[in-house]
Amino acid sequence: MSQAAVISHAAYAEHAEALGFWRKYVFSTDHKTIGKQYLGISLFMAIAGGFTAYAIRWQLAWPAAGIPGLGAITPHAYNSLVTMHGSIMVFWVAMPMLLGAFGNFCIPLMLGADDMAFPRLNMLSVWIFFTSALVLLASFVAPGGAAASGWTAYTPLSDTWTSAVWGQTMWLFAVALEFASFLIGGINFLTTAFTRRCAGMTLWRMPLLVWDEIAASVLFLLSVGPLVAGAVMLLMDRLLGTGFYDPSKGGDPLLWEHLFWFFGHPEVYVVALPGFGIMLEIMPVFARKPIFGYRTIIYSTIVAVGLSLIVWAHHMFVSGMDPRLATPFSVTTILISVPFAIIVFAMIATLWGGSLIFDTPMLFVIGGLASFIVGGVTGIFLGSAASDIYLHGTYFVVAHFHYTLFPVTFFGGYAGIYYWYPKMFGRMMDERLGKLHFWLTFVFFQATFIPLFLAGIGGTPRRVFMPSAYPSFASLQPLQVMATVATIGLIASQIPLVVNFFSSMFRGALAGRNPWRANTLEWTVDSPPPHGNFPDPPVARRWPYDYSVPGAASDWLPQVAETNPPAGIKVQRAS
Amino acid sequence: MVLAVMALIGAEVMFFGGLISAFYILRAGSFSWPPIGQPRLPIAVTGINTLILFGSAVTMRLGVRAAKRKRRVAVTRWLLATLILGSIFLAIQGSEWIRLIQYRLTVKSSLYGALFYTIVGAHAVHVAGAIGALLFVTCSASRGRYSDSDHDGLTACSLFWQFVVLLWGVIYAMVYLG
């Protein structure tokens, strides 16, 4: 250990003690605190997102009844609810949970670093994000109501024609702030991974979660630019009276769709990759088996990142764009399922033959994987232009993307919460409540969205205030009622989580350093880790997935372990 | 910090890529370009202005080289030269904007005007930001900050400056000459 490191750690310890309440818990530059702040904001916004989901579903099931807690709503208010539900869940729940919370909390710990590369920028990013959430929530009470043009803000709906004059502009500002926050965060993640790794932590020894967070950040940086350009033009249309998207002034509404989906499709993978990272990180620990195809997973991830930048127009098959574009975009879209299929098969192969331990984190991982496969397979029908023309704009699409994003965000995110909670707060969460939470969530999730697949195949259009008013869809109304009942069940299923989360903070069993017998570096320090993370700079001596190594004394070898298996025994390594 | 600036530049390239592709898409869909009754862009003055900005890239490069050779005074001098050239560029751009507005080219007059002011304005904001960063770096340099082996901040600033200059070359070629 170098002299400098000793001094710096002593300085950290002193520094940490000198900090008052505000600097320690509110305006903190510590990546662990910032990660928890992101987690807190995302869970709070999930309540808002869940409430909008409940209101939307109630309206669809019993349009005449009036929504308990909200009253009867106008079609415009319904559009606002749908818009805000999508925006909140993607930008203010999925991204802060999967990137903000687990990225910030795990990356420096897993790499053996004392903090992010730019701790003060990191604090700036969480506060910009907090501001963006406030602006978005404030738009609910703006004159004219919240934005009502869908989370995709399609022009001309979002242009000067919308009656949500304030709401739409506030939505644009909120999204702009959110992007600024994640732009700063993404640059920070990337720089940290390339400059702050501890001794011995080569790129090919990085845990897969770190790889996935980096891949997601790079993808976000590459894809967000065109949407920001589009948003600047939309703001100018709204505030300065230009006509970028207004055909009467020579503009083109389709331009927005291209710029939006150039970002919007990669955004799905920006959210999905960290979700996969969490699943990939947890699986080997609870299968007591090395990850299958470590390098293959990384290469597949990189290929998926590249391909995701050239698939966007599959959202636009029926938009009126040149139909000759449909074939190339169908091809790239079907191609991108190959790297994801490889990752999914690598996950299944990791489970295969393992000594599976069905603790709550593992249950959420397996449940999430099983559900995600349904989302992936149904995506093929939408990626192919021929079948998409029929299914586009129906509840089939709604069910499909909920089957991809819900498993990634909530099953993945919950798995991460149950898994890293001991490291975050030093105490274990209750297993019985956790398992109850899992089974209720899993069952009600399927019960919500399977009926919507059927309603969609029946042709029911999405984003319609009262589909039952059309005689042709009236016979499908029982499916809508079933989905609504299940949604209310799904929301109620989150009560065990809330109870568990807060009661375990005080009453949970003390976790100790490594309750899961896991290999990655964060489990070699105290729970919760001190300011500056590692009392002594760690040295990574192996990859993070040495579980059940033949000849080893225990079935796990932490990354810092020096012992090597006896000579002559061949250890399965990353391919 | 250099890596962080490279990542930022990557995102910026995509941002301007979005703006410039919007320019081409909307131009392809319009009847006449520039629209009837709208002024032509000042190619000659802006051409000279482009050369001024390219000159600032050279002085910036010389400043970094002086820092590597540990010539403290020369670093400050070259950075100041870069600052002055960058400010001249912005000033000439500003006066051209005023002239164009007098010729009734505004954001509302046509899509042509809107695109021009959006793209060139977005670039001007970047030049202004780069000048701010350069001002900070120049102050640090005058206090001898980069005369030892740590040039990280200077290199990062220089990288961003070169990007802004190169970007202007692309915008001039595509918006003015294209």
Side-chain angles (χ1 to χ4, degrees):
Chain A
M1 187 187 5
S2 70
Q3 192 70 24
V6 178
I7 293 166
S8 88
H9 189 75
Y12 259 123
E14 244 171 59
H15 185 57
E17 277 174 26
L19 294 175
F21 171 81
W22 287 96
R23 290 289 308 281
K24 205 168 172 182
Y25 296 108
V26 184
F27 297 102
S28 170
T29 56
D30 183 353
H31 71 98
K32 300 182 290 294
T33 308
I34 291 172
K36 289 179 204 169
Q37 288 171 335
Y38 269 115
L39 184 65
I41 301 172
S42 74
L43 290 176
F44 176 78
M45 292 301 278
I47 297 172
F51 181 78
T52 51
Y54 149 79
I56 293 165
R57 287 302 331 161
W58 187 285
Q59 166 65 28
L60 290 167
W62 302 291
I67 302 160
L70 206 64
I73 55 169
T74 61
H76 179 79
Y78 175 80
N79 288 344
S80 284
L81 285 172
V82 172
T83 303
M84 296 302 267
H85 174 74
S87 311
I88 288 174
M89 287 301 195
V90 173
F91 295 128
W92 281 274
V93 177
M95 284 182 79
M97 177 127 71
L98 298 171
L99 286 151
F102 293 111
N104 272 307
F105 188 82
C106 294
I107 290 175
L109 280 167
M110 286 182 154
L111 295 179
D114 53 3
D115 207 320
M116 283 282 177
F118 305 107
R120 275 179 297 178
L121 270 184
N122 209 15
M123 181 175 86
L124 181 69
S125 83
V126 78
W127 284 102
I128 294 177
F129 176 71
F130 181 67
T131 314
S132 77
L134 290 185
V135 173
L136 188 83
L137 290 178
S139 79
F140 271 114
V141 291
S149 52
W151 84 282
T152 56
Y154 272 6
T155 52
L157 295 177
S158 58
D159 219 323
T160 44
W161 314 30
T162 174
S163 53
V165 181
W166 279 80
Q168 189 67 49
T169 305
M170 287 170 82
W171 184 90
L172 275 166
F173 274 113
V175 169
L177 286 171
E178 204 260 4
F179 287 171
S181 157
F182 281 92
L183 201 65
I184 296 170
I187 290 173
N188 218 340
F189 285 8
L190 191 67
T191 316
T192 305
F194 282 100
T195 61
R196 288 303 187 93
R197 282 170 300 161
C198 69
M201 182 63 77
T202 60
L203 286 179
W204 294 113
R205 281 182 184 168
M206 290 202 307
L208 285 166
L209 175 61
V210 179
W211 270 105
D212 275 319
E213 293 281 355
I214 302 313
S217 301
V218 170
L219 184 56
F220 181 76
L221 291 178
L222 288 178
S223 61
V224 78
L227 178 60
V228 174
V232 167
M233 291 190 280
L234 184 54
L235 262 183
M236 289 181 65
D237 271 13
R238 295 183 55 77
L239 299 178
L240 300 178
T242 55
F244 290 114
Y245 304 114
D246 183 350
S248 68
K249 293 177 184 165
D252 184 359
L254 265 188
L255 176 63
W256 170 266
E257 291 192 31
H258 280 293
L259 293 173
F260 181 86
W261 284 117
F262 184 84
F263 163 80
H265 196 81
E267 169 70 9
V268 176
Y269 302 115
V270 169
V271 172
L273 290 176
F276 283 162
I278 291 170
M279 294 182 181
L280 288 163
E281 213 51 66
I282 293 174
M283 256 178 201
V285 179
F286 292 89
R288 311 310 291 168
K289 228 186 118 208
I291 197 87
F292 184 91
Y294 171 79
R295 287 206 183 196
T296 312
I297 292 172
I298 294 167
Y299 289 135
S300 301
T301 305
I302 294 169
V303 170
V305 163
L307 277 176
S308 76
L309 291 169
I310 49 169
V311 299
W312 77 89
H314 66 220
H315 295 272
M316 300 166 60
F317 287 146
V318 300
S319 66
M321 70 169 184
D322 191 329
R324 285 169 298 183
L325 280 175
T327 310
F329 278 103
S330 278
V331 171
T332 54
T333 303
I334 307 261
L335 263 184
I336 203 171
S337 57
V338 175
F340 280 104
I342 291 173
I343 295 173
V344 165
F345 278 117
M347 287 182 176
I348 295 171
T350 303
L351 298 178
W352 189 264
S355 321
L356 303 190
I357 303 165
F358 292 104
D359 282 344
T360 312
M362 185 62 154
L363 287 176
F364 273 106
V365 167
I366 295 175
L369 177 61
S371 309
F372 181 84
I373 291 172
V374 176
V377 171
T378 51
I380 301 197
F381 298 93
L382 300 171
S384 163
S387 49
D388 179 69
I389 287 170
Y390 175 72
L391 293 168
H392 196 97
T394 67
Y395 272 94
F396 189 87
V397 177
V398 175
H400 156 71
F401 67 69
H402 280 93
Y403 257 101
T404 57
L405 287 172
F406 192 100
V408 165
T409 308
F410 288 105
F411 285 87
Y414 288 157
I417 289 174
Y418 284 100
Y419 181 67
W420 278 291
Y421 187 94
K423 190 48 67 182
M424 287 181 177
F425 299 101
R427 289 176 185 271
M428 307 297 289
M429 288 180 93
D430 185 68
E431 269 297 313
R432 271 184 310 173
L433 278 173
K435 290 194 169 109
L436 179 71
H437 176 217
F438 167 74
W439 284 110
L440 289 174
T441 304
F442 185 77
V443 170
F444 280 121
F445 167 70
Q446 318 293 339
T448 303
F449 292 105
I450 288 173
L452 295 188
F453 274 125
L454 301 175
I457 292 169
T460 318
R462 62 191 283 218
R463 288 177 171 155
V464 170
F465 178 59
M466 203 188 287
S468 55
Y470 299 91
S472 44
F473 308 125
S475 65
L476 299 171
Q477 189 60 16
L479 292 171
Q480 299 284 359
V481 173
M482 178 181 168
T484 300
V485 172
T487 303
I488 293 168
L490 185 58
I491 292 170
S493 310
Q494 309 313 308
I495 293 170
L497 173 72
V498 177
V499 172
N500 202 350
F501 195 92
F502 289 106
S503 71
S504 299
M505 224 175 265
F506 306 101
R507 269 182 266 157
L510 286 175
R513 289 191 168 189
N514 194 352
W516 310 116
R517 296 174 295 140
N519 284 348
T520 39
L521 290 180
E522 76 268 30
W523 303 105
T524 63
V525 290
D526 290 343
S527 310
H531 202 64
N533 296 344
F534 296 90
D536 307 322
V539 179
R541 295 192 174 81
R542 59 189 66 247
W543 76 323
Y545 304 110
D546 269 340
Y547 293 99
S548 304
V549 175
S554 62
D555 72 344
W556 51 294
L557 284 171
Q559 274 192 286
V560 292
E562 280 180 75
T563 46
N564 276 314
I569 291 182
K570 206 165 179 291
V571 176
Q572 188 197 344
R573 284 282 164 191
S575 48
Chain B
M1 195 187 288
V2 174
L3 186 68
V5 170
M6 282 161 84
L8 178 67
I9 290 175
E12 296 278 16
V13 166
M14 297 305 288
F15 170 70
F16 280 97
L19 283 181
I20 289 173
S21 49
F23 174 79
Y24 273 92
I25 288 168
L26 294 175
R27 187 171 90 161
S30 67
F31 177 64
S32 67
W33 196 268
I36 298 153
Q38 289 280 283
R40 301 293 181 273
L41 298 176
I43 289 177
V45 181
T46 314
I48 294 165
N49 208 6
T50 306
L51 292 180
I52 291 174
L53 195 62
F54 280 2
S56 79
V58 176
T59 54
M60 186 81 218
R61 182 82 201 88
L62 290 170
V64 174
R65 202 168 69 171
K68 281 188 183 145
R69 294 180 181 171
K70 303 192 191 304
R71 291 185 190 149
R72 182 179 158 181
V73 183
V75 177
T76 316
R77 205 174 290 157
W78 285 123
L79 291 182
L80 268 178
T82 314
L83 262 178
I84 292 166
L85 287 174
S87 309
I88 293 175
F89 170 82
L90 269 194
I92 295 180
Q93 284 291 96
S95 66
E96 285 305 309
W97 276 35
I98 293 170
R99 281 211 316 151
L100 284 169
I101 291 170
Q102 281 163 354
Y103 283 116
R104 308 215 174 287
L105 182 72
T106 64
V107 284
K108 283 177 92 165
S109 69
S110 66
L111 217 50
Y112 174 68
L115 281 165
F116 169 78
Y117 287 111
T118 308
I119 296 175
V120 176
H123 180 264
V125 168
H126 281 75
V127 177
I131 285 178
L134 190 55
L135 213 57
F136 178 78
V137 167
T138 312
C139 289
S140 307
S142 70
R143 289 198 300 268
R145 173 78 175 74
Y146 305 114
S147 44
D148 52 4
S149 56
D150 175 21
H151 312 117
D152 211 30
L154 178 61
T155 317
C157 178
S158 144
L159 199 63
F160 193 72
W161 190 270
Q162 311 286 6
F163 159 70
V164 169
V165 171
L166 198 68
L167 177 67
W168 178 255
V170 174
I171 291 175
Y172 181 68
M174 297 186 109
V175 176
Y176 285 79
L177 304 178

